Amino acid sequence: MSSDPLLQPYQLKHLTLRNRIIVTSHEPAYPEDGMPKGRYRAYTVERAKGGVALTMTAGSAAVSRDSPPVFNNLLAYKDEIVPWIREMTDAVHEQGAAIMIQLTHLGRRTRWDKGDWLPILAPSHHREAAHRAFPKKIEDWDIERIIKDFADAAERMKAGGMDGVELEAYGHLIDQFVSPLTNELDGPYGGPLENRMRFCLDVFRAMRERVGDHFILGVRYTADECLEGGTGQAEGIEIARRLKESGLIDYLNVIRGHIDTDPGLTDVIPIQGMANAPHLDFAGEIRAATSFPTFHAAKIPDVATARHAIAAGKVDMVGMTRAHMTDPHIVRKIMEKREDDIRPCVGANYCLDRIYQGGLAFCIHNAATGREETMPHEIPKAAERRKVVIVGAGPAGLEAARVCAERGHEVVVFEAANNPGGQIRLTAQSERRREMISIIDWRMSQCERLGVTFHFNNWAEADTVLSENPDVVIIATGGLPHTDVLSSGNDLVVSAWDIISGDVKPGTNVLVFDDAGDHTGLQAAEFLAKAGAKVEIMTPDRAFAPEVMAMNLVPYMRSLQKRDVTFTVTYRLEAAERNGNQLVAHVGSDYGGVTKSRTVDQIVVNHGTVPLDDLYFELKPGSKNLGEISYDALLAGAAQAVERNPEGAYRLFRIGDAVAARNTHAAIYDALRLAKDI
């Protein structure tokens, strides 16, 4: 038996967990019609296959119709969910893992114009800032109905083969009862702590009566809201004691903070640039105070931190949830003493942020996550070895190189710069986003292990590529900043990348015209503001940085507001001209009828990139496929077989920003789904 603390089994009541690592409840937004069908099942099973002890699904499954999901969640109030749950639980159990599900009633943390358009409810009329809807104040018959809904849902989950149910308390209806900030009820469910906890305990009592004792029940709750007037640490510890003493539950899953605002949510679930494991010691205090099984997860992205959490007795089970979205095989790699091969979570939070814009959760640099039915986490060998030449060592080029090398091909990479990384290397120059470089470092280490040949400081031309006698050529040269967007004065502006890279010195009074709305504009503004410049960010959109999702926006705002940056929306920079040593920015509006001007000493434009594709078009005539990609074959997972030029010597493809300006995930997905079949 291993002496590694992470690999020790843990006995939770009647349930033996094979190690100390869990995937805590989260909703990847993969349900179809509210059911965990093929995509959801494949995603969940992959983590069980990778060795995790316990995987928890749903964050969270709705128990009532007046708790409509704000994004694509499981609907635990429907009887039809049972066979779908059974298929998933059977498949997970076959892999040796346990599986639980998280149930909730959202209370005020949703909207009335979702689902069946029923009034949302809470123990007060106070609106939650994040979801904006004003709730109905809950009545006695609502309470009775919802308690029954929880019990019904728990019974369905047991029938579906789940090992247990976790209640989502923090921020949701149960917590809205417990917190003095959101409970203004009189009588048995309002007032002193005993009354405010009554709803939670009544729910557990009803569930326990339905599911019996041979079924795990737990709660994920906040033991400190970090809000004036809310549940504080002392009361949080008392809540933990009372939950234990109730005899109704089997473990605590500890959270610290509040989620009713974007900044609050980001502090609970920190992203890159924020401290790792910020609430671990607090979870340890709860465990020490209660001597009760304690779980915890919050930015525990690496094995060393997780190992410390268990070895130091902070928690009994440690959650590595986003880390398992990045690499579902963490435990297996620990067991095989291959920790260096674990794909690192970089905290970009593309996974979680994306669901709030109605999308599926995807890892920024593992394009197989959430696509397990079509994309491999482990790359199979090809039947025949080929020579593959790749031009460009950014994320797209490196992913193509890694995958082709895993396939067993001979791979040669040319890169014009002296280091790999492309735009990511520039992004990582920001102290707060330095973790992004791990996307590159991990791929370089994998490529080196696999014997990929790199030629840096080499501006590859057609002759360079052809001298390698390739069977396949992949162009991953990325793009160049696109600043030619004004009616006049384009020669007077600089790009956001010029500022980030340090190629252009920051001005003192700067207008940042952000017409792309992505990280680059805000990152340039942050560089400028930190250098002491007076900065105005202008966008023609009705909201600035629409491509930077909620939780990623929080650190930018904390930095930029502190430096008094001005944000101007719905205005467009139309032209620029020089006036002495100053620049005059001429400003209009897409809405019409407005003409303004700004006098500044620097204008920075962020308008995406244009493909650096000259080499591709130079090589195109000599290729067998003339650069064509069969989308039918691509989407079917079949090898590319287009042959438009029988005399051609090689197949030619281009990926990432060399095609069109997109993002890191798109570049890596381009590479994976093309290269996996070469």
Side-chain angles (χ1 to χ4, degrees), residues 323-351:
H324 272 84
M325 295 192 80
T326 309
D327 191 334
H329 300 152
I330 291 173
V331 177
R332 180 170 60 80
K333 291 177 181 179
I334 295 172
M335 294 173 67
E336 295 172 356
K337 302 190 184 304
R338 294 172 49 218
E339 291 180 28
D340 288 346
D341 285 337
I342 294 172
R343 188 186 314 230
C345 176
V346 300
N349 218 48
Y350 188 70
C351 52

Side-chain angles (χ1 to χ4, degrees), residues 486 488-490 492-493 573-578 583-586 603:
L486 307 182
S488 63
N490 288 302
L492 301 177
V493 309
L573 177 64
E574 295 181 338
E577 63 177 325
R578 187 174 297 283
L583 300 175
V584 177
H586 295 284
I603 297 174

Side-chain angles (χ1 to χ4, degrees), residues 110-164:
T110 183
R111 293 182 60 88
W112 50 265
D113 54 357
K114 298 280 186 179
D116 297 307
W117 283 56
L118 295 171
I120 66 166
L121 45 73
S124 71
H125 290 298
H126 296 317
R127 184 185 77 166
E128 189 207 53
H131 292 90
R132 302 182 56 78
F134 291 97
K136 162 195 170 180
K137 192 173 183 179
I138 198 167
E139 298 180 64
D140 51 0
W141 58 270
D142 290 314
I143 293 173
E144 293 172 8
R145 168 178 58 82
I146 293 169
I147 290 172
K148 180 179 181 299
D149 287 346
F150 270 108
D152 289 346
E155 189 172 12
R156 290 186 191 100
M157 297 306 109
K158 184 176 182 182
M162 286 286 175
D163 294 299

Side-chain angles (χ1 to χ4, degrees), residues 42 59 75 91 96 148 193 199 269 287 331 390 416 441 576 592 618 630 652:
L75 303 179
K148 180 179 181 299
L193 179 61
F199 177 71
I269 310 173
R287 182 177 184 269
V331 177
I390 298 167
D441 290 346
E618 191 174 352
S630 167
L652 174 68

Side-chain angles (χ1 to χ4, degrees), residues 38-318:
R39 182 194 290 265
Y40 205 115
R41 182 171 60 252
Y43 166 80
T44 304
V45 171
E46 192 70 37
R47 276 114 202 105
K49 189 186 303 181
V52 73
L54 166 66
T55 184
M56 296 198 207
T57 61
S60 313
V63 302
S64 303
R65 286 190 172 275
D66 61 345
S67 175
V70 290
F71 51 87
N72 189 14
N73 294 71
L74 294 174
L75 303 179
Y77 58 76
K78 292 189 173 185
D79 289 340
E80 67 191 83
I81 200 172
V82 174
W84 294 109
I85 292 289
R86 171 61 71 178
E87 286 189 30
M88 180 167 60
T89 57
D90 285 351
V92 167
H93 286 147
E94 285 175 8
Q95 297 297 332
I99 181 170
M100 292 178 60
I101 191 167
Q102 191 179 71
L103 300 179
T104 199
H105 192 294
L106 289 160
R108 68 177 190 158
R109 191 172 168 75
T110 183
R111 293 182 60 88
W112 50 265
D113 54 357
K114 298 280 186 179
D116 297 307
W117 283 56
L118 295 171
I120 66 166
L121 45 73
S124 71
H125 290 298
H126 296 317
R127 184 185 77 166
E128 189 207 53
H131 292 90
R132 302 182 56 78
F134 291 97
K136 162 195 170 180
K137 192 173 183 179
I138 198 167
E139 298 180 64
D140 51 0
W141 58 270
D142 290 314
I143 293 173
E144 293 172 8
R145 168 178 58 82
I146 293 169
I147 290 172
K148 180 179 181 299
D149 287 346
F150 270 108
D152 289 346
E155 189 172 12
R156 290 186 191 100
M157 297 306 109
K158 184 176 182 182
M162 286 286 175
D163 294 299
V165 161
E166 177 178 272
L167 287 191
E168 161 65 297
Y170 76 101
H172 294 204
L173 183 61
I174 289 173
D175 184 55
Q176 292 159 31
F177 270 89
V178 173
S179 173
L181 289 175
T182 47
N183 188 337
E184 294 185 347
L185 296 175
D186 298 320
Y189 290 98
L193 179 61
E194 179 181 3
N195 290 1
R196 286 183 278 119
M197 285 191 67
R198 190 182 307 277
F199 177 71
C200 176
L201 295 177
D202 284 354
V203 167
F204 272 122
R205 193 170 292 109
M207 290 198 304
R208 183 60 78 191
E209 288 174 0
R210 291 286 190 91
V211 300
D213 195 51
H214 201 71
F215 192 72
I216 302 297
L217 293 182
V219 61
R220 196 172 196 185
Y221 83 112
T222 181
D224 183 0
E225 287 188 282
C226 301
L227 281 173
E228 185 176 352
T231 301
Q233 181 171 343
E235 192 171 57
I237 292 174
E238 178 60 24
I239 290 168
R241 289 197 181 102
R242 294 187 184 203
L243 287 167
K244 176 187 177 182
E245 290 166 3
S246 74
L248 296 169
I249 70 169
D250 303 305
Y251 72 87
L252 304 171
N253 191 346
V254 178
I255 290 291
R256 187 178 208 176
H258 58 100
I259 58 172
D260 54 324
T261 63
D262 290 340
L265 179 63
T266 308
D267 288 335
V268 169
I269 310 173
I271 67 169
Q272 60 184 207
M274 302 174 75
N276 284 352
H279 313 306
L280 178 59
D281 288 343
F282 177 70
E285 291 176 31
I286 299 295
R287 182 177 184 269
T290 60
S291 300
F292 199 54
T294 302
F295 300 179
H296 176 65
K299 201 171 189 271
I300 300 175
D302 61 280
V303 172
T305 304
R307 188 172 283 128
H308 163 72
I310 298 299
K314 302 289 185 182
V315 294
D316 297 289
M317 301 295 294
V318 60

